[in-house]
């Protein structure tokens, strides 16, 4: 899968309150990185793959929000940069760097400007740590992107992009039973 194709599908499937833009995507990234660290701690390979995909989704959505071509983040990472870290430590390091991204986005919202070169560097560092985590579990970027892409296409086709979690078909069935309270139970 081409990186640009992945960035395009994220743009087409991104459903969230746009008025919160990069703040929403940055908070989502931090949350997903935490879920990834939990999956790594449990050595749950299937969940690690899913959480890596979710992390990449939020990195991509953040790039989309700020007009950053994803290629500049995904192709510029130093392949051997974090190979001396334990896999678990690499996942934790990604969380720590994401808090720096969060601080930058907070200042962007407050002041209206952001140094995109530093932001790209920090996103690249997060991506590097994600790739270190993936390789530690013998997962490739292509596998993770393809699995995430397939999940998004399925959700778009079944109209289950709204909501949360991986049991969205069940959530839609539950929502249809509660009728007019759809927005309360269905998230965004």
């Amino acid at each position: 899968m081409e990186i640009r194709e992945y960035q395009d599908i994220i743009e087409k499937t991104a459903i969230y309150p746009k008025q919160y833009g990069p703040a929403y995507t940055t908070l989502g990234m931090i949350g997903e990185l935490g879920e990834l660290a939990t999956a790594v701690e449990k050595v749950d390979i299937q969940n690690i793959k899913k959480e890596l995909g979710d992390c990449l989704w939020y990195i991509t959505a953040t790039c989309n929000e700020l007009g950053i071509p994803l290629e500049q983040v995904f192709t510029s990472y130093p392949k051997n940069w974090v190979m001396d870290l334990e896999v678990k430590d690499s996942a934790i390091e990604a969380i720590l760097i994401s808090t720096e991204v969060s601080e930058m986005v907070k200042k962007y919202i407050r002041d209206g400007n952001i140094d995109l070169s530093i932001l790209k560097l920090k996103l690249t560092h997060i991506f590097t740590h994600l790739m270190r985590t993936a390789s530690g579990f013998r997962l490739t970027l292509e596998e993770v992107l393809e699995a995430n892409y397939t999940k998004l296409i399925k959700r778009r086709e079944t109209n289950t992009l709204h909501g949360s979690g991986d049991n969205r078909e069940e959530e839609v069935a539950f929502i249809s039973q509660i009728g007019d309270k759809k927005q309360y139970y269905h998230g965004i």
Side-chain angles (χ1 to χ4, degrees):
M1 164 177 301
E2 296 294 319
I3 293 171
R4 184 68 222 163
E5 180 183 5
Y6 184 75
Q7 189 166 18
D8 288 343
I9 194 66
I10 300 307
E11 183 72 32
K12 292 173 184 167
T13 59
I15 298 174
Y16 55 84
K18 296 296 185 186
Q19 69 269 27
Y20 300 116
Y24 182 91
T25 59
T26 301
L27 288 171
M29 177 179 57
I30 294 168
E32 293 299 339
L33 287 166
E35 291 179 18
L36 173 63
T38 300
V40 167
E41 186 72 31
K42 294 177 181 178
V43 192
D44 180 347
I45 305 297
Q46 282 308 104
N47 203 30
I48 289 168
K49 186 177 184 179
K50 181 196 110 22
E51 296 303 342
L52 282 165
D54 292 347
C55 291
L56 294 175
W57 188 97
Y58 277 103
I59 288 174
T60 305
T62 300
C63 287
N64 285 346
E65 282 292 331
L66 297 170
I68 299 171
L70 195 57
E71 293 91 351
Q72 293 179 8
V73 172
F74 279 21
T75 59
S76 62
Y77 80 100
K79 311 298 186 267
N80 296 318
W81 184 61
V82 293
M83 292 306 163
D84 58 330
L85 287 177
E86 294 291 325
V87 171
K88 182 173 132 182
D89 294 337
S90 205
I92 299 299
E93 188 65 24
I95 294 170
L96 295 174
I97 297 167
S98 74
T99 63
E100 296 171 18
V101 170
S102 174
E103 186 66 19
M104 290 181 73
V105 169
K106 178 185 83 175
K107 290 177 181 175
Y108 169 69
I109 291 167
R110 182 191 67 205
D111 303 334
N113 58 40
I114 193 166
D115 186 334
L116 288 178
S117 63
I118 293 174
L119 180 64
K120 282 189 268 191
L121 181 64
K122 291 190 181 301
L123 290 173
T124 299
H125 288 174
I126 292 170
F127 178 74
T128 302
H129 286 290
L130 293 177
M131 290 302 89
R132 169 62 183 112
T133 302
S135 69
F137 291 98
R138 295 187 172 30
L139 297 168
T140 66
L141 173 61
E142 292 75 22
E143 286 177 281
V144 173
L145 290 179
E146 192 61 43
N148 194 251
Y149 178 85
T150 301
K151 177 178 76 172
L152 292 170
I153 294 300
K154 179 182 176 197
R155 286 181 180 172
R156 185 171 65 180
E157 289 170 354
T158 59
N159 197 27
T160 54
L161 285 168
H162 290 279
S164 61
D166 286 325
N167 299 317
R168 293 178 188 218
E169 290 78 12
E170 294 166 18
E171 181 180 336
V172 169
F174 174 71
I175 289 166
S176 67
Q177 294 173 7
I178 59 171
D180 62 343
K181 296 193 180 207
K182 180 177 180 180
Q183 290 299 313
Y184 177 76
Y185 290 100
H186 199 231
I188 301 168

